[in-house]
Amino acid sequence: MQSTDLPNLDFQSFEVPDLVRLLLPQRAVHLPRILLLYGSARERSYSRLLTEEAARLLRAMGAEPRIFDPRGLPLPDDAPDDHPKVQELRELALWAEGMVWTSPERHGAMTGILKAQIDWIPLAVGAVRPTQGKTLAVMQVSGGSQSFNAVNQMRVLGRWMRMLTIPNQSSVAKAFMEFDDAGRMKPSPYYERVVDVMEELIKFTILTRDCADYLVDRYSERRESTEALSQRVHQRSI
């Protein structure tokens, strides 16, 4: 029924948020699937070492982590979509229910290596967004004092990819001092923060994965046909 108080509202597409659709009685029981991306190809990459430490923690917390190796990934638009590394990354993005992005801070920003991985993940495959509604944790390593430039940038990207970025984050200062010769992270408040972040990520992933599509369902998009939505999203990603 059209309301005189809301004359511009399309009531055929309007929905009142439904608690039942948020708290589904049937819950997924498989291990939470987490994809981890890191932003350096150096032999001793501290973003990779931090990512590997995070993956160990995720596994101990009952998740299934997979780490993507960015070496060999071409620059965005410098190779066809069927390039093996591009296909590997995109398949992992579809598989994952949550992600961890870890980047060094370089020139006050995230690295091009991490950004290239994100740029290769399409905004849409048909009318399906590979990242929307999935959880995200962001971390960074710095060569000097603690900074938050890279994690702040990644939060912006996560929002653009319509991901549910968790409140907590990790920024490891003077990362060269925080890992031993075997590449394991030393005990410290930085390590404890990484544990906090992974624990929070798993909780948010378990809480939201069953209703992820509903959480990011939009009134404006319900008014569009699937074909129109696909065309619009692809135009934005050009």
Side-chain angles (χ1 to χ4, degrees), residues 58-76:
L58 289 169
R59 194 172 292 110
M61 293 175 186
E64 181 183 357
R66 296 186 186 179
I67 299 174
F68 177 75
D69 183 349
R71 291 174 298 181
L73 182 71
L75 289 172

Side-chain angles (χ1 to χ4, degrees), residues 182-202:
R184 297 302 304 270
M185 196 170 186
K186 300 174 183 177
S188 72
Y190 291 131
Y191 177 79
E192 292 178 3
R193 174 58 68 89
V194 176
V195 179
D196 290 346
V197 172
M198 294 307 108
E199 182 180 18
E200 189 171 287
L201 176 66
I202 291 299

Side-chain angles (χ1 to χ4, degrees), residues 81-230:
D81 290 352
D82 61 359
H83 186 283
K85 291 295 290 188
V86 174
Q87 286 298 303
E88 177 189 355
L89 175 58
R90 291 186 172 185
E91 288 171 6
L92 285 170
L94 288 169
W95 165 85
E97 297 168 325
M99 295 190 191
V100 179
W101 297 349
T102 305
S103 178
E105 181 171 320
R106 188 170 296 167
H107 302 309
M110 63 190 295
T111 63
I113 292 174
L114 196 284
K115 182 61 162 56
Q117 294 171 75
I118 299 169
D119 284 347
W120 269 120
I121 300 173
L123 290 177
V125 178
V128 178
R129 290 182 174 84
T131 54
Q132 77 168 9
K134 298 182 179 184
T135 52
L136 172 65
V138 293
M139 303 194 295
Q140 74 169 74
V141 293
S142 301
S145 59
Q146 191 173 44
S147 173
F148 301 94
N149 291 320
V151 288
N152 288 338
Q153 279 193 321
M154 289 186 283
R155 283 187 176 278
V156 172
L157 287 170
R159 183 173 69 245
W160 182 254
M161 303 296 280
R162 292 184 65 181
M163 303 183 76
L164 306 174
T165 308
I166 66 171
N168 214 339
Q169 62 187 23
S170 169
S171 174
V172 179
K174 297 182 180 179
F176 61 91
M177 298 178 61
E178 298 301 323
F179 294 86
D180 62 23
D181 292 340
R184 297 302 304 270
M185 196 170 186
K186 300 174 183 177
S188 72
Y190 291 131
Y191 177 79
E192 292 178 3
R193 174 58 68 89
V194 176
V195 179
D196 290 346
V197 172
M198 294 307 108
E199 182 180 18
E200 189 171 287
L201 176 66
I202 291 299
K203 290 176 181 177
F204 272 79
T205 303
I206 293 172
L207 183 67
T208 62
R209 64 179 177 177
D210 294 299
C211 58
D213 290 338
Y214 183 56
L215 283 170
V216 294
D217 183 47
R218 291 179 175 180
Y219 161 79
S220 59
E221 292 179 354
R222 290 195 296 272
R223 298 189 70 243
E224 294 182 286
S225 67
T226 301
E227 181 178 358
L229 173 60
S230 177

Side-chain angles (χ1 to χ4, degrees), residues 18-28 209-212 214:
D18 186 352
L19 184 62
V20 174
R21 295 180 66 180
L22 289 169
L23 302 176
L24 298 174
Q26 297 296 324
R27 311 288 293 184
R209 64 179 177 177
D210 294 299
C211 58
Y214 183 56

Side-chain angles (χ1 to χ4, degrees), residues 40-51:
S40 171
R42 292 178 176 176
E43 182 176 352
R44 186 170 172 83
S45 162
Y46 295 107
S47 63
R48 176 178 57 79
L49 295 179
L50 183 57
T51 295

